[in-house]
Amino acid sequence: MLLLPLAGCGVIYHSTSVNPGITAEGKVRVLPLTAESVMLANAAPFEPKKLPGYFNQSAGINGTLAAPVTAPETAFNQVNRPDALTTRLPPPVAAPSYRIGVGDVVLLAVPQQGSTVEQLTGILAAQTARQGYTVQDDGSISVPSVGRVQIAGQTVEDAEATLFQRFLDKQIDPTFSLEISEFHSKKVAIGGDVTTPGVVPITLQPLHLDEALAAVGGAKSADLDTALVRLYRDGKLYEVPLKFVYEQPEIGRMLLLAGDSIFVDTAYELDKAAAYFEEQIKLAEFKQNERKSRLEALSSEVGLRRSELQERRDLFASRLELGAEARDYAYLTGELPKQSRYPLPFDRKATLADALYEAGGGLTSARSNPKEIYVLRGSANPLEYDSITAWHLDGRNAASILLATRFELHANDVIFVAAQPVTHWGNVVSALTPSLLVSSANAVSN
C-alpha cells in the first residue's frame, strides 16, 4: 500500500558509494587499508607546503652587537705588590772614635794676652781668644805664630797633643783647648722615598740608622710592608724592610759609617697603584656604559626586526583567510556531520584521523557506516590521470582506527564515509514526509 504513494510522489533516494572497476570517472581500484598498504600509500612522494622563511626567523637572527669603541690608552702601568721582601744585613761593626778630617772646623781657644796692670787687676783672667780653623786639603790647619799643623786623621786627644808639642817648640804658652765645631768630613747620603733627601753628618756621637732617617724627615711610604731600606757600603749592597727598622731595635740601631749611602725604595708605590686601580675602575665603567649603549642599540634593532616579522606574519595570515595564498586541501564528503575541506598543515603531514575528527566532526553512529571509510587519491602520473585508488578502511574494529592515525594525506585526497544501510530508508522517509502530508491534506479537503 505504501508503494503507490511513493511512486506517485516521484521521490527516489540515491545513496553515494564507491564502486570499483571502470566508471565514467575513470578506473577505480579499491585497496583495503592495512599496515602494509599504509606504508605503500605513505611512500608516494608528497611534500607539505612550507611556511615562508620569516616564520622560522627570530627577531635577533641578524642582530649583533655593534663594534666596541676603543677605550683610551692607560696612563699608568700596573704596579704589582712584591710577594716577599729580602733582608741582607751588613756585618756588625764597632763604633769607631771620631777622627778629624778635611773640611772639619776645629775651634782653638787660647788665653787672651794683656798688659801687666790688666793681668794684676784680673780683668782678663777669665778671657780667652777663640779661633776657628778649617782643616785644609793637606790635612793641616794654619795657626798664627805656630804655622801649619797636621791634624787630619787624628782624634781630638791626638790633635791636642800635636798642638801642645808645636806650642812648646815655638816657646809659646801651651795653654789652650781644642774642640770640633763643625763636622763636614764624614757623611751619610740618604735618598729615595724620604721627606728631605740629603746628607747627614757623623759627629762625635755614633750615627744609627733610625737617627739618620729621622734627620731627613723619615720615610714617606705609607706602605711599610713593601718599603725597603738599601745600604750601599764598600761596594756591597744590603737591604732590610723598612718596617723592621721601626719594629726591631737591633736593626733600627744599626751603626752607620762614613761613606755609607742609604736609599729608601718603595717596591710597591701606593700612589701609582691607587692611580692605576682608579684608572682601571674608570675604564671598566667606560666599557660597561659603552656595552650598555650597544645593547640598547641592539634592543632597538631587535624590536624593529620583531615588528617587521610580525607584520609579515599577520599579512600572511590575512592572505590565508582571504584565500589569496595557495594551499593544499583534502576534501571530506559522505555521511559526516560536516561536509568540508580540510586545509593540510604547513611544514608537516596530516593523517586521515586528523581530517575525520578535526574537520569532519567524527563519525556518527546513526548515519556513518564505519565499515565504509575511503580515501580516494588520483594517480600522480600524468599518463594515468584517470586512475583512482580508493584506500578502504573498515573501522568496525576499533583497533583499525589506529591505521587512520598513520595514513598520511596528500593534496586533493577525497575522504568519503558511506551511510548506514538503514539510513537510506530514513532519508527516503525524510524526503517523502512533506509530500505525504500534502497528499493527506488534499484528500481531506476533497
Side-chain angles (χ1 to χ4, degrees):
M1 298 295 295
L2 183 62
L3 294 177
L4 293 177
L6 291 178
C9 295
V11 177
I12 300 175
Y13 178 78
H14 299 279
S15 67
T16 307
S17 62
V18 176
N19 300 314
I22 299 176
T23 65
E25 292 79 13
K27 295 176 290 184
V28 179
R29 181 181 58 166
V30 178
L31 297 178
L33 204 60
T34 63
E36 292 76 12
S37 62
V38 167
M39 293 178 60
L40 177 64
N42 292 344
F46 172 70
E47 289 294 331
K49 287 188 177 296
K50 302 292 184 183
L51 281 171
Y54 45 79
F55 276 90
N56 297 319
Q57 295 177 0
S58 65
I61 191 168
N62 295 323
T64 57
L65 285 175
V69 178
T70 304
E73 295 292 333
T74 58
F76 298 93
N77 293 325
Q78 184 174 1
V79 182
N80 294 319
R81 179 184 289 270
D83 296 332
L85 300 179
T86 59
T87 300
R88 291 193 297 272
L89 297 175
V93 294
S97 299
Y98 188 86
R99 295 184 177 276
I100 300 171
V102 175
D104 287 343
V105 177
V106 295
L107 190 63
L108 183 62
V110 297
Q112 188 172 2
Q113 300 295 325
S115 63
T116 304
V117 176
E118 291 173 342
Q119 292 178 2
L120 290 175
T121 59
I123 296 177
L124 297 178
Q127 295 182 4
T128 58
R130 301 169 63 86
Q131 179 66 44
Y133 300 94
T134 300
V135 180
Q136 303 299 312
D137 292 340
D138 60 355
S140 65
I141 58 174
S142 179
V143 181
S145 304
V146 176
R148 302 186 70 83
V149 181
Q150 288 282 339
I151 62 172
Q154 299 178 3
T155 64
V156 174
E157 292 79 8
D158 293 339
E160 286 180 341
T162 300
L163 285 171
F164 183 84
Q165 185 61 45
R166 292 295 299 273
F167 272 53
L168 290 177
D169 293 343
K170 295 296 183 177
Q171 298 180 355
I172 300 174
D173 183 4
T175 302
F176 67 89
S177 65
L178 183 68
E179 62 183 75
I180 305 175
S181 63
E182 298 180 22
F183 298 86
H184 298 295
S185 63
K186 295 172 178 56
K187 303 175 183 178
V188 173
I190 303 178
D193 190 27
V194 294
T195 304
T196 55
V199 294
V200 178
I202 296 178
T203 64
L204 295 177
Q205 297 298 324
L207 181 63
H208 300 97
L209 178 57
D210 55 358
E211 297 170 342
L213 290 175
V216 294
K220 294 192 301 182
S221 175
D223 188 7
L224 295 179
D225 292 333
T226 58
L228 280 174
V229 177
R230 303 182 190 274
L231 171 63
Y232 183 77
R233 175 183 295 173
D234 298 331
K236 295 183 179 179
L237 184 63
Y238 307 97
E239 62 185 19
V240 61
L242 178 61
K243 66 177 181 178
F244 289 179
V245 176
Y246 301 116
E247 296 175 356
Q248 302 181 19
E250 65 276 12
I251 294 180
R253 300 301 293 172
M254 181 191 304
L255 187 66
L256 299 180
L257 303 180
D260 284 352
S261 294
I262 295 176
F263 187 85
V264 178
D265 181 17
T266 304
Y268 183 74
E269 302 178 70
L270 284 181
D271 54 344
K272 292 184 179 180
Y276 172 79
F277 292 131
E278 181 180 358
E279 183 183 59
Q280 292 303 307
I281 292 173
K282 291 182 179 179
L283 285 176
E285 292 176 351
F286 172 84
K287 293 178 180 178
Q288 183 177 2
N289 293 334
E290 188 268 338
R291 179 173 176 80
K292 181 180 179 181
S293 299
R294 291 190 289 135
L295 286 174
E296 291 176 351
L298 177 60
S299 178
S300 299
E301 180 183 347
V302 170
L304 292 174
R305 178 66 172 166
R306 183 179 291 114
S307 299
E308 178 187 356
L309 289 176
Q310 189 60 45
E311 183 179 3
R312 297 177 69 178
R313 292 167 183 173
D314 292 343
L315 177 61
F316 179 81
S318 299
R319 289 177 58 85
L320 273 182
E321 185 177 358
L322 296 173
E325 288 287 342
R327 175 148 210 189
D328 291 334
Y329 294 92
Y331 299 87
L332 293 96
T333 186
E335 295 300 326
L336 290 169
K338 180 181 179 181
Q339 310 289 307
S340 63
R341 62 179 182 177
Y342 172 65
L344 299 183
F346 292 92
D347 293 334
R348 71 174 182 86
K349 295 181 179 180
T351 65
L352 172 59
D354 293 333
L356 283 176
Y357 293 95
E358 183 174 342
L363 305 180
T364 61
S365 58
R367 301 179 58 185
S368 304
N369 185 0
K371 180 182 177 182
E372 304 290 338
I373 302 174
Y374 297 88
V375 178
L376 288 78
R377 180 177 298 169
S379 175
N381 188 345
L383 300 178
E384 300 178 353
Y385 69 93
D386 59 345
S387 177
I388 301 173
T389 301
W391 306 92
H392 175 211
L393 173 64
D394 185 353
R396 287 177 297 177
N397 183 358
S400 300
I401 302 300
L402 183 63
L403 296 174
T405 65
R406 298 176 181 174
F407 186 91
E408 297 174 355
L409 295 177
H410 290 188
N412 300 320
D413 281 354
V414 176
I415 302 170
F416 170 74
V417 178
Q420 291 275 14
V422 70
T423 305
H424 301 335
W425 287 108
N427 291 334
V428 171
V429 172
S430 298
L432 290 177
T433 297
S435 300
L436 292 174
L437 293 175
V438 173
S439 299
S440 298
N442 292 334
V444 171
S445 62
N446 293 330

